[in-house]
Amino acid sequence: MMVTGLGPLVVVGFLIGLTLAAVLLRLGRLRSPASAFAAAALPFGCAALPVIGLVMISVFVTAIGQ
């Protein structure tokens, strides 16, 4: 996969996180300010997963190439 394929994966991750946060809100699981803050950060955390995966693969390939 090329780096240009990373953009759609980031968008999909963000949408999955946004959906999970909406489900948590709808189920009434957000009772404290800390859980509400965590639910607001969830989409951004899910969007960061493909980027973290790409970084890990890059570091691994660089370490093997040495």
Side-chain angles (χ1 to χ4, degrees):
M1 179 177 81
M2 296 175 51
V3 176
T4 56
L6 188 65
L9 286 177
V10 170
V11 171
V12 168
F14 184 83
L15 291 175
I16 289 171
L18 193 63
T19 303
L20 289 174
V23 167
L24 287 173
L25 179 65
R26 183 69 180 143
L27 290 176
R29 305 281 183 177
L30 307 177
R31 300 199 187 278
S32 69
S35 64
F37 181 72
L42 185 63
F44 300 101
C46 290
L49 289 177
V51 176
I52 292 170
L54 179 66
V55 168
M56 289 175 52
I57 291 170
S58 298
V59 167
F60 180 72
V61 169
T62 302
I64 296 296
Q66 295 290 328

